């Protein structure tokens, strides 16, 4: 395997790892608000890593004389567009859900010592 | 088709479906149904039916979920109960087996399986659709319709009238749903 | 001016998405982009009728690498917390309120998004210049608004 | 080990985390928990679609679905929460909105 392949594989598995962390996080955290931490952040980073890996792999042997290569570059730019969208959308969605929970009145979990 | 992904996805879809029908609370069921649609779309994409996957993603996961939720919030005054995931207590009395519906669905299922015996085998190259219809479409669709996508060519050109009136029906349904949901103080 | 720039951005977007380069598809693209540019150029350059935003783009681009660094940090922190066997002893969630000195709407929204993306904090509410932030640990709560506000002020505020 | 194996392993790993997130979707105590779970499932599925596109060797087609998918994931969360907010304002909520 060439060096690009190694980089792609490492980035991809890092992305999968962070996705797994996010999933475990929303299972383990004690209350709703802290689950959002795991969901929002790990997902944004993991999507970035995995999609960058795929975009990189798509243009691995770029040759500017071939039309096919330019088409691959276009597809890679589309993948990067997904990343951009994820970065705008994920915090907004997280914020919207948090606000809804706040208004509905779900109580945040707190440490026992603070409940006097 | 990649059988490892196939098996795994099917398991997840079945889990989602069971969750949808067993969970208490309509809003929860709607949300789980959205997850079901997402996974179903993935399954179709994984089997190569990209068009169906696209439709499922847009209609199943997007529009229908929003409509379900809109209908729920317009039609109940016990939103707090719904939000907490608790349903109306009167519904709980009706739990338990219903003999008549059970027998009806079992009989229908048996009849359907009986009818399936007459089908040609899966992917049989000698079956009538594969011999006559498909090959005609595959050979002539691009030349006759100028549409690069075969499924879109069949739906939009060869079955144009069918699709058109189907769209009229869907449009009427959409208009009526919107007009019902627009009424305040329902 | 904003209309023309919107038109070209939309056209680049169209070519990127469609990938068809014959006359018909490009023509349809040009018509669509023209319509969008005429009717809704004010959505893309919200509150920037002039061309001053060209200068700002580079400042905003300079802000992104720092933001990505913060996101990596926050994910690592979450990873540590999630995988810690006695997780409940580490976390100490609390609500924090503070006032920002950013006046620009765009800058405030960017601050809210960035807070959500960075270590241990989520923006719950933003009304006027008052932010309500939910922090996962005490350390994260004390670090607000901190360096981020300064950097956003440098990138997006115009005095 | 070819790149196809790498992609297959990565998608299987992604599916495992999807299964973990589904536990929260099916068993979550409140509706909002389920929405968070669906969001996570959606983000994972977006990446998974692109990966499957590579396994099929026809990525340009699958990227389009992935874009639509990412947008739908966002619209779903916004749409669901919007009804919570509107419900509150319809009852004349006194809290800041």
């Amino acid at each position: 395997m060439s060096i690009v392949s190694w980089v792609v594989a490492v980035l991809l598995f890092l992305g999968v790892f962070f996705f797994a962390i996010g999933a475990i996080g929303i299972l383990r955290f004690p209350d709703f608000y802290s689950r959002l931490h795991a969901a929002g952040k790990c997902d944004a980073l993991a999507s970035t890593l995995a999609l960058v890996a795929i975009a990189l792999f798509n243009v691995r042997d770029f040759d500017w004389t071939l039309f096919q290569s330019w088409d691959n570059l276009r597809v890679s730019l589309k993948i990067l567009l997904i990343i951009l969208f994820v970065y705008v959308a994920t915090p907004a969605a997280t914020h919207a859900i948090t606000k809804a929970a706040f208004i509905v009145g779900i109580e945040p979990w707190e440490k026992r010592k603070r409940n006097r | 088709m990649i059988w490892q992904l196939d098996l795994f996805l099917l398991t997840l879809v079945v889990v989602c479906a069971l969750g949808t029908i067993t969970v208490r609370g309509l809003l929860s069921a709607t949300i789980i149904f959205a997850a079901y649609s997402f996974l179903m779309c993935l399954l179709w994409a994984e089997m190569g039916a990209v068009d169906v996957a696209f439709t499922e993603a847009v209609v199943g996961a997007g529009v229908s979920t929003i409509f379900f939720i809109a209908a729920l919030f317009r039609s109940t005054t016990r939103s707090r109960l719904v939000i907490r995931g608790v349903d109306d207590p009167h519904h709980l009395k009706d739990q338990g087996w219903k003999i008549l519906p059970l027998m009806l669905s079992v009989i229908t299922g048996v009849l359907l399986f009986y009818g399936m015996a007459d089908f040609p085998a899966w992917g049989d190259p000698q079956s009538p659709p594969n011999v006559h219809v498909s090959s005609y479409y595959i050979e002539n669709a691009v030349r006759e319709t100028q549409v690069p996508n075969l499924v879109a060519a069949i739906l939009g050109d060869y079955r144009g009238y069918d699709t058109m009136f189907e769209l009229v029906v869907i449009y009427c349904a959409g208009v009526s749903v919107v007009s019902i949901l627009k009424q305040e103080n329902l | 001016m904003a209309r023309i720039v919107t038109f070209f951005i939309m056209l680049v977007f169209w070519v990127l998405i469609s990938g068809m380069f014959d006359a018909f598809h490009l023509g349809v693209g040009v018509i669509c982009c023209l319509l969008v540019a005429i009717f809704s150029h004010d959505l893309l350059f919200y509150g920037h009728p002039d061309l001053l935003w060209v200068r700002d783009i580079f400042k905003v681009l300079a802000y992104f690498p720092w933001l990505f660094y913060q996101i990596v940090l926050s994910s690592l922190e979450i990873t540590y917390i999630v995988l810690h066997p006695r997780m409940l002893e580490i976390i100490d969630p609390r609500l924090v309120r503070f006032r920002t000195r950013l006046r620009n709407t765009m800058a405030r929204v960017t601050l809210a998004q960035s807070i959500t993306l960075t270590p241990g904090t989520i923006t719950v509410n933003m009304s006027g210049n008052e932010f309500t932030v939910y922090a996962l640990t005490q350390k994260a709560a004390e670090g607000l608004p901190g360096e981020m506000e300064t950097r956003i002020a440098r990138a997006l505020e115009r005095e | 080990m070819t790149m196809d194996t790498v992609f297959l392993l990565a998608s299987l790993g992604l599916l495992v985390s999807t299964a973990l997130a589904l536990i929260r979707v099916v068993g979550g105590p409140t509706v909002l928990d389920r929405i968070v779970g669906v969001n996570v499932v959606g983000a994972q599925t977006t990446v998974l679609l692109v990966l499957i596109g590579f396994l099929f060797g026809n990525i340009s087609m699958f990227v389009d679905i992935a874009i639509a998918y990412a947008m739908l994931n966002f619209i779903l969360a916004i749409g669901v929460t919007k009804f919570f907010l509107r419900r509150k304002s319809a009852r004349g909520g006194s809290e800041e909105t």
Side-chain angles (χ1 to χ4, degrees):
Chain A
M1 291 197 333
S2 64
I3 220 161
V4 176
S5 302
W6 277 108
V7 171
V8 166
V10 167
L11 281 180
L12 198 56
F13 280 108
L14 267 180
V16 172
F17 171 73
F18 277 115
F19 267 129
I21 292 296
I24 298 172
I26 64 170
L27 281 181
R28 274 198 74 194
F29 273 125
D31 81 321
F32 172 75
Y33 296 95
S34 41
R35 271 172 214 148
L36 273 171
H37 283 276
K41 288 163 203 185
C42 290
D43 274 10
L45 183 63
S47 310
T48 315
L49 290 176
L51 290 176
V52 162
I54 297 170
L56 196 64
F57 186 71
N58 201 25
V59 289
R60 62 192 178 287
D61 31 36
F62 186 76
D63 181 3
W64 63 275
T65 53
L66 291 178
F67 177 74
Q68 184 60 40
S69 284
W70 286 100
D71 208 47
N72 280 347
L73 184 67
R74 187 179 62 84
V75 172
S76 289
L77 283 180
K78 261 169 146 177
I79 297 176
L80 294 186
L81 210 65
I82 300 181
I83 299 177
L84 188 69
F85 185 76
V86 164
Y87 268 82
V88 179
T90 311
T94 311
H95 173 66
I97 296 172
T98 323
K99 200 166 167 184
F102 198 63
I103 284 172
V104 166
I106 293 175
E107 295 289 323
W109 180 87
E110 292 199 344
K111 282 206 167 171
R112 198 66 57 73
K113 66 184 179 196
R114 286 157 55 88
N115 290 345
R116 266 158 286 171
Chain B
M1 214 160 121
I2 306 126
W3 65 270
Q4 296 99 327
L5 295 183
D6 229 11
L7 271 180
F8 210 137
L9 269 175
L10 270 177
T11 321
L12 294 185
V13 165
V14 169
V15 167
C16 266
L18 287 180
T20 308
I21 58 174
T22 51
V23 79
R24 210 166 275 171
L26 292 174
L27 193 52
S28 305
T30 309
I31 303 293
I32 302 178
F33 194 59
Y36 170 86
S37 284
F38 274 156
L39 289 175
M40 210 60 206
C41 159
L42 192 57
L43 187 62
W44 270 319
E46 189 267 326
M47 285 176 157
V50 181
D51 305 78
V52 187
F54 207 90
T55 315
E56 174 72 26
V58 174
V59 175
V63 180
S64 71
T65 309
I66 300 293
F67 274 159
F68 277 148
I69 289 167
L72 271 180
F73 271 88
R74 294 292 167 148
S75 58
T76 178
T77 53
R78 296 175 296 271
S79 64
R80 280 200 173 266
L81 286 180
V82 174
I83 289 160
R84 296 284 179 204
V86 182
D87 213 344
D88 187 7
H90 294 290
H91 279 292
L92 299 186
K93 281 190 296 192
D94 295 339
Q95 302 277 329
W97 294 93
K98 296 275 187 60
I99 296 300
L100 191 62
L102 181 69
M103 282 182 49
L104 263 182
S105 37
V106 166
I107 290 174
T108 315
V110 168
L111 280 180
L112 284 178
F113 267 103
Y114 177 71
M116 244 171 65
D118 282 344
F119 280 2
W122 178 253
D124 180 10
Q126 300 303 319
S127 65
N130 280 348
V131 172
H132 304 292
V133 188
S134 303
S135 54
Y136 179 80
Y137 283 151
I138 291 171
E139 280 166 19
N140 300 320
V142 174
R143 186 170 47 78
E144 286 180 352
T145 64
Q146 306 290 328
V147 179
N149 186 324
L150 187 57
V151 177
I154 291 174
L155 281 184
D157 279 301
Y158 291 111
R159 295 190 204 154
Y161 289 116
D162 188 9
T163 308
M164 186 172 84
F165 289 109
E166 217 171 71
L167 285 181
V168 170
V169 171
I170 293 174
Y171 177 74
C172 291
V175 166
S176 40
V177 166
V178 168
S179 58
I180 288 173
L181 290 182
K182 263 186 111 72
Q183 295 174 18
E184 294 295 328
N185 316 319
L186 194 69
Chain C
M1 194 62 207
R3 284 192 177 90
I4 297 170
V5 179
T6 312
F7 172 73
F8 279 109
I9 292 177
M10 291 291 147
L11 198 61
V12 168
F13 193 70
W14 174 280
V15 169
L16 203 62
I17 291 288
S18 99
M20 301 271 204
F21 296 100
D22 51 317
F24 175 72
H25 287 93
L26 279 183
V28 172
V30 167
I31 293 172
C32 288
C33 296
L34 268 180
L35 288 179
V36 170
I38 289 170
F39 286 124
S40 45
H41 63 276
D42 51 336
L43 290 180
L44 193 57
F45 300 112
Y46 178 75
H48 293 251
D50 46 8
L51 270 184
L52 278 172
W53 55 269
V54 175
R55 205 186 55 198
D56 293 349
I57 282 180
F58 294 101
K59 291 185 189 167
V60 173
L61 283 182
Y63 171 67
F64 280 152
W66 183 78
L67 183 65
F68 185 73
Y69 172 63
Q70 290 294 307
I71 290 168
V72 172
L73 275 190
S74 93
S75 297
L76 288 178
E77 192 190 348
I78 296 279
T79 309
Y80 171 71
I81 293 176
V82 164
L83 293 182
H84 199 283
R86 294 186 309 279
M87 180 181 70
L88 295 187
E89 292 173 16
I90 300 180
I91 65 173
D92 184 11
R94 63 189 63 200
L95 280 173
V96 184
R97 285 168 203 275
F98 69 92
R99 291 180 182 281
T100 177
R101 58 191 175 80
L102 299 176
R103 283 189 304 276
N104 194 337
T105 316
M106 201 64 201
R108 281 182 186 165
V109 172
T110 313
L111 180 61
Q113 300 267 60
S114 309
I115 284 175
T116 306
L117 278 173
T118 47
T121 45
I122 282 182
T123 311
V124 177
N125 207 344
M126 181 183 99
S127 61
N129 62 352
E130 190 178 291
F131 279 67
T132 310
V133 171
Y134 177 80
L136 192 59
T137 58
Q138 194 181 358
K139 203 176 103 233
E142 282 164 356
L144 283 172
E147 193 189 351
M148 185 181 294
E149 192 180 20
T150 329
R151 280 180 183 266
I152 291 178
R154 217 185 299 152
L156 281 169
E157 288 275 279
R158 193 180 308 119
E159 304 302 332
Chain D
M1 192 161 125
T2 60
M3 276 321 266
D4 266 5
T5 328
V6 171
F7 283 135
L8 188 61
L9 281 180
S11 11
L12 282 178
L14 261 180
L15 273 181
V16 171
S17 29
T18 311
L20 287 178
L22 266 187
I23 298 176
R24 183 53 78 194
V25 176
V26 175
T30 66
V31 170
L32 288 164
D33 280 311
R34 294 176 209 270
I35 296 172
V36 175
V38 169
N39 248 330
V40 173
V41 170
Q44 289 165 348
T45 321
T46 311
V47 175
L48 205 50
L49 269 175
V50 185
L51 274 179
I52 288 174
F54 252 115
L55 289 176
F56 267 85
N58 184 6
I59 188 162
S60 58
M61 210 166 180
F62 282 79
V63 167
D64 287 341
I65 316 182
I67 291 178
Y69 217 92
M71 288 185 179
L72 274 174
N73 198 15
F74 175 61
I75 290 172
L76 193 70
I78 295 294
V80 172
T81 50
K82 192 174 173 226
F83 280 101
F84 282 84
L85 303 184
R86 186 188 283 174
R87 192 75 187 176
K88 185 68 185 179
S89 61
R91 278 184 308 193
S94 58
E95 295 151 27
E96 64 206 73
T97 45

